[in-house]
Amino acid sequence: MDTSLARLGRGTSPQQDTFADNLLVGLAKAPKEIACKYFYDETGSRLFDDICALPEYYQTRTETMLLTRHAREIAALMGEQVEILEYGAGSLRKVRILLDALEAPRAYTPVDISGDYLAQVVRDLAADYPALGLRPVIGDFTETLDIPALPDHPRRAGFFPGSTIGNFRPDAALALLRRMRAGLNGGGLLIGVDLVKDPARLHAAYNDAAGVTALFNKNLLVRANRELGMDFDPAAFAHYAPYNAGAQRVEMYLVSLKRQRVRLRGREFEFAQGEPVHTEDSHKYTIESFREMACRAGFNPRAVWTDEDRLFSVHWLESR
Ligand code: AVJ
């Protein structure tokens, strides 16, 4: 199987140009912001894997448990000879649970923004599943959803685990679900969604004692320094991640600890002491509020699985 990486969407334009564009626009805004997709360079992807193993970060282990516990039922719902499309594939660990349970999966198409990281993890997966059709796509799934069908047009199933949907404002999340539905050619979507819960528990998950989430957040600055020759001092910014109960989301910021300036492409950006840079939102849903959104996106919500403590949910949505 040819597992060379296809690049869809932005064609050949290098990633750092888009990161630079995002910084030029985002740091000129009031309030300042950097898009969360830029967390995931190779270092950031690895830091995110470390977050997933933290004692406070219940999401990954709860979702993995749910996928494992219900793998046979999920496989039966997806059917035989299915092509799995995964959006924002990351470490490719969770899909193994599905691949092991599925009846003769036809192909696996992981889409991820971090090309170097994707190349490595795909190599490992190919070694473990030699018979699987593997079609890695370097791309931004917020832009690249029109993935060409395989010659024999197998039935598709979308896989969007990890509550990545939480990174989008509800209106953008709805639009993304609609576009995913359009790209699935009538197939269903298996999606993981983090649930509203005790704010203290949410707060702890984004403010871990070991400080890994802070490093993950500050990696944006480290990345800008390395890729774009900027002169951020990561120690002069604080990681700040409060839960906004009214908006049902964790908000993440880098707060400037002093008055400082940085330069990019001849432009100068000033940070006041105490000024925040917004870096991420992580929206939480109830099972009911998420199913309602899925309906509005053109899906029929079918099965939903959750754990005893209702920390996390996994939904099987059918196209309608
Ligand atoms: C990958 C978007 C689901 O929001 O929990 C983890 C990213 N940010 N810790 C999340 C993240 C800080 C994560 N998602």
Side-chain angles (χ1 to χ4, degrees), residues 49-67:
D49 285 346
D50 294 343
I51 288 176
C52 292
L54 289 169
E56 297 96 332
Y57 199 75
Y58 57 84
Q59 296 184 41
T60 313
R61 80 179 66 86
T62 307
E63 184 178 48
T64 300
M65 180 276 287
L66 290 171
L67 292 173

Side-chain angles (χ1 to χ4, degrees), residues 109-186:
T109 303
V111 183
D112 202 275
I113 195 167
S114 184
D116 296 340
Y117 190 69
L118 186 62
Q120 291 179 35
V121 291
V122 156
R123 229 175 287 134
D124 294 342
L125 194 81
D128 293 343
Y129 297 86
L132 181 72
L134 251 164
R135 211 171 37 141
V137 174
I138 305 170
D140 175 355
F141 64 81
T142 63
E143 300 170 7
T144 312
L145 286 173
D146 45 350
I147 293 155
L150 290 167
D152 55 330
H153 291 266
R155 182 201 350 235
R156 284 182 160 172
F159 185 40
F160 195 30
S163 202
T164 307
I165 191 73
N167 278 160
F168 300 85
R169 297 276 171 122
D171 55 342
L174 178 66
L176 180 61
L177 288 176
R178 282 204 174 113
R179 289 175 45 238
M180 283 181 175
R181 193 191 142 268
L184 287 170
N185 304 337

Side-chain angles (χ1 to χ4, degrees), residues 36 39-40 48 51-52 54 57-59 94 161-167 192 194 205-208 213 216-217 239 241 250 252 280-284 312:
C36 64
F39 283 134
Y40 302 96
F48 181 65
I51 288 176
C52 292
L54 289 169
Y57 199 75
Y58 57 84
Q59 296 184 41
K94 290 169 192 165
S163 202
T164 307
I165 191 73
N167 278 160
D194 196 18
Y206 293 82
N207 295 274
D208 60 287
T213 310
F216 175 71
N217 199 4
H239 165 73
V250 176
M252 212 152 79
E280 187 178 45
D281 284 328
S282 190
H283 290 262
K284 310 306 173 187
F312 200 88

Side-chain angles (χ1 to χ4, degrees), residues 63-309:
E63 184 178 48
T64 300
M65 180 276 287
L66 290 171
L67 292 173
T68 307
R69 186 186 274 176
H70 303 288
R72 292 168 65 108
E73 196 183 344
I74 292 167
L77 288 164
M78 287 186 170
E80 293 177 17
Q81 292 284 329
V82 74
E83 177 191 10
I84 298 183
L85 261 72
E86 181 169 356
Y87 312 105
S91 71
L92 311 192
R93 272 192 211 110
K94 290 169 192 165
V95 76
R96 289 169 180 258
I97 303 168
L98 300 183
L99 293 173
D100 291 343
L102 280 165
E103 197 70 43
R106 165 74 180 78
Y108 173 51
T109 303
V111 183
D112 202 275
I113 195 167
S114 184
D116 296 340
Y117 190 69
L118 186 62
Q120 291 179 35
V121 291
V122 156
R123 229 175 287 134
D124 294 342
L125 194 81
D128 293 343
Y129 297 86
L132 181 72
L134 251 164
R135 211 171 37 141
V137 174
I138 305 170
D140 175 355
F141 64 81
T142 63
E143 300 170 7
T144 312
L145 286 173
D146 45 350
I147 293 155
L150 290 167
D152 55 330
H153 291 266
R155 182 201 350 235
R156 284 182 160 172
F159 185 40
F160 195 30
S163 202
T164 307
I165 191 73
N167 278 160
F168 300 85
R169 297 276 171 122
D171 55 342
L174 178 66
L176 180 61
L177 288 176
R178 282 204 174 113
R179 289 175 45 238
M180 283 181 175
R181 193 191 142 268
L184 287 170
N185 304 337
L189 176 65
L190 185 71
I191 181 169
V193 182
D194 196 18
L195 299 174
V196 292
K197 59 180 62 66
D198 183 346
R201 184 109 200 218
L202 286 167
H203 189 272
Y206 293 82
N207 295 274
D208 60 287
V212 181
T213 310
L215 283 179
F216 175 71
N217 199 4
K218 291 186 186 189
N219 180 55
L220 284 172
L221 309 178
V222 176
R223 178 179 181 179
N225 289 349
R226 194 190 53 246
E227 287 186 7
L228 308 171
M230 291 184 73
D231 52 358
F232 280 114
D233 173 9
F237 288 84
H239 165 73
Y240 180 56
Y243 178 60
N244 177 341
Q248 302 199 321
R249 65 178 180 231
V250 176
E251 299 171 359
M252 212 152 79
Y253 300 93
L254 290 164
V255 178
S256 178
L257 293 172
K258 61 179 191 194
R259 185 163 164 222
Q260 51 186 324
R261 287 188 183 85
V262 297
R263 268 158 300 275
L264 174 60
R265 307 238 162 114
R267 297 258 292 106
E268 198 171 63
F269 299 94
E270 184 164 316
F271 296 75
Q273 185 172 21
E275 183 177 353
V277 182
H278 179 242
T279 55
E280 187 178 45
D281 284 328
S282 190
H283 290 262
K284 310 306 173 187
Y285 291 87
T286 63
I287 286 175
E288 296 70 31
S289 67
F290 183 75
R291 283 167 69 96
E292 196 198 308
M293 182 164 78
C295 280
R296 286 204 285 145
F299 286 105
N300 270 329
R302 299 297 295 262
V304 56
W305 302 275
T306 187
D307 54 293
E308 291 70 19
D309 300 322

